[in-house]
Amino acid sequence: EEFVNTVLEYRKAKPIDIDELRNEVERKRPMIAAKLISEGIKRFDALIEASGGTYTASEVSVLLGITTNDVRKKVEQKQLLEIRQSERSGYPKWQFNGNAVVTGFEEVMAQFSYVDFALIVTFWLNFDSDFGTSRLDYLKNHGADNLLLRKARQLGHQGSK
């Protein structure tokens, strides 16, 4: 939108000088990028809250009956998902079923070689037409079958490039 306004300003003022226009756009690029990043963070935080919010490491340690160091080890071993929201980190509540991790979650998570946590969140929460539901709901109802594992592997390889 800001880019379009910049173009329109130049068109009103005088014939377009492409070099001047390019310089003006480059000058405003950092401001536009910062605004987009800020909006993205707000939307991500809203998605996490709408899906149930997060637990702290201490809450997860109590829930699972392990130490907070063991919680961090589970994250390193891709058995739990930790996300960073604004200025804090947390563990999405949807990866738990009672006082355990959702059955099959760890097996699917192990398929990701390296993928950003935000991409993993969208992997789990977005609708998948092959399943007719989100991958998380599919996992909860059908387990970690070959199709779900293959989709996770594909995303994992894509994220490692």
Side-chain angles (χ1 to χ4, degrees), residues 109-123:
M109 287 292 291
Q111 305 305 306
F112 300 119
S113 48
Y114 170 78
V115 179
D116 181 75
F117 67 88
L119 194 54
I120 294 174
V121 167
T122 59
F123 171 85

Side-chain angles (χ1 to χ4, degrees), residues 3 13 32 61-62 76-77 84 86 88 120 140 145 150:
F3 173 76
I32 295 168
S61 72
V62 170
E76 290 170 10
Q77 296 167 349
R84 289 175 294 288
S86 301
R88 65 186 194 287
I120 294 174
K140 289 178 177 180
D145 68 8
R150 182 171 49 81

Side-chain angles (χ1 to χ4, degrees), residues 3-25:
F3 173 76
V4 171
N5 289 338
T6 300
V7 171
L8 293 175
E9 286 174 31
Y10 270 88
R11 291 202 73 165
K12 288 179 192 172
K14 59 184 175 183
I16 295 178
D17 177 332
I18 196 69
D19 290 328
E20 276 185 52
L21 178 60
R22 187 177 293 125
N23 290 337
E24 182 68 11
V25 168

Side-chain angles (χ1 to χ4, degrees), residues 50-103:
S51 68
T54 59
Y55 290 121
T56 64
S58 297
E59 291 170 325
V60 172
S61 72
V62 170
L63 186 74
L64 300 179
I66 60 177
T67 67
T68 54
N69 280 341
D70 287 338
V71 170
R72 287 179 181 76
K73 286 178 188 173
K74 283 186 169 289
V75 170
E76 290 170 10
Q77 296 167 349
K78 299 179 191 158
Q79 296 173 344
L80 283 178
L81 177 61
E82 177 184 31
I83 61 168
R84 289 175 294 288
Q85 283 182 273
S86 301
E87 309 232 347
R88 65 186 194 287
S89 65
Y91 303 82
K93 291 180 179 180
W94 44 257
Q95 67 187 311
F96 300 98
N97 184 11
N99 61 346
V101 177
V102 169
T103 303

Side-chain angles (χ1 to χ4, degrees), residues 47 121-128 133-136:
L47 172 66
V121 167
T122 59
F123 171 85
W124 284 114
L125 298 181
N126 284 354
F127 179 83
D128 185 311
T133 188
S134 72
R135 293 177 185 112
L136 179 63

